[in-house]
Amino acid sequence: MNAVTRTLVDITTPDGTADAYLAHPDDGQPHPGVLLYQDAFGLRPHLKAMADRLAAAGHAVLVPNVFYRHGRAPVVALPEFIDMAARPDIVEKVVPLMESLTPGTTERDAGAYLAWLADSPLVADGPVGVTGYCMGARLALHTAGAHPDRIAAAAGFHGGGLASDAPDSPHLLAGRITAELYFAHADEDPSMPEEQIRRLEDALTKAGVEHRCEVYRGAHHGYTQSDTAAYDAAAAERHWTELLALFARAL
């Protein structure tokens, strides 16, 4: 494993300036780029630790504050341990932030993040990988569809609403995707019911996208997030195995 350098950076977007966290191997060499999309709780120590683990495995990892239009991270003050059942006020604060992200703003922002990675001497030339958690899985799918020339691999974990009835559901971008995809759903996740899992699988298969979709039995929405009550250590480690293997193959 590599020693890791950590930096806070600002990224100019069409709508302003996004603050972001960058982690990369401490060897002065360029490494494959990875864009890591947050869950609803935003850029915080746990997500930085996830980026560090990816960086230690040999990647230059950028974690943008996708809520930057509402302020620099942390946009919402959070406890060290997040239990939504005990703190319903947190949900009330983050839902409007989530709803403010449209497919259009997501795709514009993604273009800025990817351009920043392409310009960084810390990032190797060529396409990059993207991984997203909860709402971030939706952002990952939108990014892979909107920027197929830049994304070689994309993964989403315990994502919700990936194949809804909405006219802008991200699964409708399947025909534009050229990346290899991996999605791991939680079977105890009402935001991604079985009918949407089937719809996503069918769309990717019909479009000829190289992909694998799995359901982690017994896992709940948010199973990778160790600072939340939804955390499942076994499912989280399974996610790491699959994610690192995907990036090793594709990047």
Side-chain angles (χ1 to χ4, degrees), residues 17-229:
T17 300
D19 52 309
Y21 178 79
L22 176 69
H24 59 89
D26 185 20
D27 58 8
Q29 301 299 313
H31 292 270
V34 170
L35 178 59
L36 191 158
Y37 280 127
Q38 65 180 61
D39 62 357
F41 300 127
L43 181 53
R44 60 194 192 281
H46 166 66
L47 282 187
K48 293 177 180 179
M50 295 184 79
D52 291 351
R53 183 164 175 175
L54 276 172
H59 304 289
V61 187
L62 184 70
V63 191
N65 165 26
V66 302
F67 296 151
Y68 70 88
R69 293 173 182 83
H70 304 273
R72 298 180 72 87
V75 178
V76 174
L78 298 169
E80 289 187 12
F81 183 77
I82 304 167
D83 185 346
M84 289 192 296
R87 291 287 305 276
D89 59 303
I90 296 175
V91 179
E92 295 173 2
K93 294 174 182 176
V94 301
V95 167
L97 301 178
M98 295 171 59
E99 292 177 343
S100 71
L101 282 177
T102 67
T105 58
T106 296
E107 292 172 12
R108 287 201 306 275
D109 288 348
Y113 305 149
L114 293 170
W116 191 93
L117 287 169
D119 290 341
S120 173
L122 299 170
V123 181
D125 293 338
V128 304
V130 58
T131 182
Y133 302 87
C134 300
M135 59 165 271
R138 190 165 62 253
L139 304 185
L141 196 50
H142 273 295
T143 299
H147 302 277
D149 59 322
R150 293 289 293 125
I151 306 299
F157 300 91
H158 45 82
L162 299 179
S164 71
D165 294 324
D168 58 1
S169 176
H171 80 286
L172 298 175
L173 295 171
R176 297 168 58 184
I177 293 172
T178 58
E180 180 182 350
L181 303 185
Y182 177 79
F183 285 93
H185 312 294
D187 71 340
E188 301 292 332
D189 186 355
S191 72
M192 192 64 186
E194 187 174 345
E195 64 179 27
Q196 286 200 44
I197 292 175
R198 287 198 304 269
R199 189 179 295 143
L200 175 62
E201 177 80 28
D202 290 346
L204 296 175
T205 299
K206 183 177 180 181
V209 178
E210 184 177 1
H211 72 281
R212 187 153 55 94
C213 297
E214 297 187 308
V215 177
Y216 289 9
R217 299 297 174 189
H220 293 260
H221 184 77
Y223 61 78
T224 61
Q225 305 299 296
S226 64
D227 60 349
T228 75

